[in-house]
């Protein structure tokens, strides 16, 4: 007889070690890290007396989905959050900003020939909707958390909107087409929508909060890159503020 997964407050999914480090520095460990198949690894962290499980899944949709499915066999989180870095897509988005999702879709799925919406996988919803309460928490605390995490209290912003993910990078060469096809999208990465799909399958509240490390199509005068560690720290600051 299998044991039931243990309840935890939150499961935060990141792709890379640089994206895991801000959480590991901010929260004490409750138990040693657990090695999972592939490059995945999980930490049990203490979030003000509650357990937060941090999952480093590896890069890409398959890595994210497989690692998350494995983790959910062990823990039953109230909330799943996709965190880390992202590429800025919306024209108002700047390097150093943070993006949070209202809904997630795939940027390179096209089954429109069969009557599906662009970005929709057959048999799945047209988009995966983020938890409304969590989105509202981002609106309430995100800006203050972001400014508290930066060395300057300057112009960094929190953008709430559609987030994309896929197996293909969006670059200056194809950003125009992506913006035209997904005019409401603020960012794109390689894990968020897969995490959202697994959360949807398990009926668990979902949110994505990511720091903008680069711009998919920078324009004249725009900075186009900051370090992944800095962008990840901004993501983590907002995530922790939301969860607290």
């Amino acid at each position: 007889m299998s044991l039931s997964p243990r309840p935890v407050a939150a499961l935060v999914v990141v792709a890379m070690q640089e994206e895991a480090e801000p959480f590991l520095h901010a929260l004490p460990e409750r138990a040693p890290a657990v090695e999972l198949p592939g490059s995945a690894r999980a930490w049990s962290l203490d979030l003000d007396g509650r357990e937060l499980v941090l999952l480093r899944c590896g890069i890409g949709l398959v890595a994210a989905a497989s690692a998350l499915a494995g983790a959910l066999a062990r823990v039953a989180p109230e909330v799943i959050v996709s965190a880390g870095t992202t590429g800025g897509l919306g024209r108002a988005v700047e390097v150093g900003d943070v993006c949070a999702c209202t809904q997630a879709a795939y940027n390179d799925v096209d089954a429109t020939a069969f009557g599906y919406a662009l970005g929709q996988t057959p048999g799945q919803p047209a988009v995966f909707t983020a938890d409304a309460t969590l989105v509202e928490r981002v609106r309430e605390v995100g800006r203050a958390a972001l400014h508290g995490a930066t060395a300057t209290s300057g112009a960094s912003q929190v953008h709430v909107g559609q987030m994309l993910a896929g197996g293909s990078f969006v670059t200056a060469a194809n950003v125009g087409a992506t913006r035209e096809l997904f005019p409401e999208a603020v960012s794109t990465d390689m894990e968020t929508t897969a995490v959202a799909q697994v959360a949807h399958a398990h009926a668990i509240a979902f949110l994505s909060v990511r720091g903008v490390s680069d711009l998919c199509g920078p324009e004249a005068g725009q900075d186009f890159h900051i370090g992944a560690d800095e962008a990840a720290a901004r993501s983590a600051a907002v995530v922790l503020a939301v969860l607290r």
Side-chain angles (χ1 to χ4, degrees):
M1 182 175 66
S2 62
L3 298 176
S4 298
R6 74 178 187 275
V8 300
L11 175 56
V12 176
V13 185
V14 299
M16 303 181 296
Q17 188 64 26
E18 296 94 325
E19 298 169 328
E21 289 299 333
F23 292 97
L24 296 175
H25 290 156
L27 303 177
E29 288 193 45
R30 295 165 60 109
V34 176
E35 300 288 345
L36 298 172
S39 62
R41 191 175 188 183
W43 294 264
S44 172
L45 306 179
D46 187 279
L47 177 68
D48 303 334
R50 299 176 297 151
E51 184 177 9
L52 180 151
V53 172
L54 176 66
L55 173 64
R56 187 194 68 202
C57 63
I59 296 172
L61 300 172
V62 174
S66 61
L68 180 53
L72 290 176
R74 304 181 182 209
V75 297
E78 298 174 13
V79 174
I80 295 174
V81 181
S82 175
T85 62
T86 192
L89 188 60
R91 292 191 180 278
V93 175
E94 299 281 358
V95 165
D97 289 352
V98 166
C99 293
C101 76
T102 54
Q103 55 181 230
Y106 292 103
N107 64 19
D108 53 3
V109 170
D110 187 351
T112 54
F114 302 99
Y116 293 94
L118 187 67
Q120 180 182 13
T121 301
Q124 297 294 329
V127 295
F128 299 99
T129 304
D131 182 80
T133 300
L134 295 175
V135 173
E136 185 58 31
R137 283 287 295 158
V138 172
R139 297 185 194 276
E140 291 172 355
V141 305
R143 183 178 174 85
L146 174 58
H147 287 176
T150 58
T152 62
S153 57
S156 296
Q157 302 292 324
V158 177
H159 303 271
V160 179
Q162 185 182 50
M163 296 177 74
L164 306 176
S168 302
F169 284 104
V170 177
T171 67
N174 59 12
V175 68
T178 305
R179 283 174 172 158
E180 181 179 350
L181 295 171
F182 299 96
E184 304 302 318
V186 294
S187 68
T188 180
D189 59 73
M190 300 186 73
E191 296 85 27
T192 283
T193 309
V195 174
Q197 183 172 339
V198 174
H200 172 78
H202 289 264
I204 300 172
F206 164 79
L207 181 68
S208 181
V209 177
R210 291 188 170 232
V212 179
S213 59
D214 58 272
L215 300 180
C216 297
E219 299 179 358
Q222 285 185 304
D223 292 330
F224 65 91
H225 179 75
I226 61 172
D229 55 345
E230 184 177 348
R234 298 181 183 200
S235 164
V238 176
V239 170
L240 292 175
V242 168
L243 294 178
R244 281 172 164 149

